[in-house]
Amino acid sequence: MRYLFYHHSNGVLIIKYHDDFGNHITQHYLFYTVKEAISKFRKDNGLQRKHIVIKQLA
């Protein structure tokens, strides 16, 4: 299963990705909406047509 968690910290959107294969990716986005950042993240990491569970961290 693939998981993508996001939260805001000091005006920066932080996206953390984890999957069952041991892959971990953390990226930071400045001046992006959540939708734009997730779309760019998926495109940049080759995850466009993959099922990913997206959760917001409090």
Side-chain angles (χ1 to χ4, degrees), residues 8-26:
H8 291 279
S9 177
N10 298 327
V12 177
L13 179 64
I14 300 170
I15 294 180
K16 296 181 180 185
Y17 169 82
H18 303 278
D19 64 19
D20 291 339
F21 306 110
N23 297 319
H24 303 282
I25 302 171
T26 302

Side-chain angles (χ1 to χ4, degrees), residues 15-46:
I15 294 180
K16 296 181 180 185
Y17 169 82
H18 303 278
D19 64 19
D20 291 339
F21 306 110
N23 297 319
H24 303 282
I25 302 171
T26 302
Q27 291 186 344
H28 306 270
Y29 293 92
L30 187 61
F31 303 120
Y32 280 89
T33 64
V34 172
K35 184 176 179 180
E36 291 171 338
I38 290 173
S39 178
K40 182 167 175 39
F41 177 86
R42 290 178 74 138
K43 183 178 179 185
D44 291 348
N45 293 294

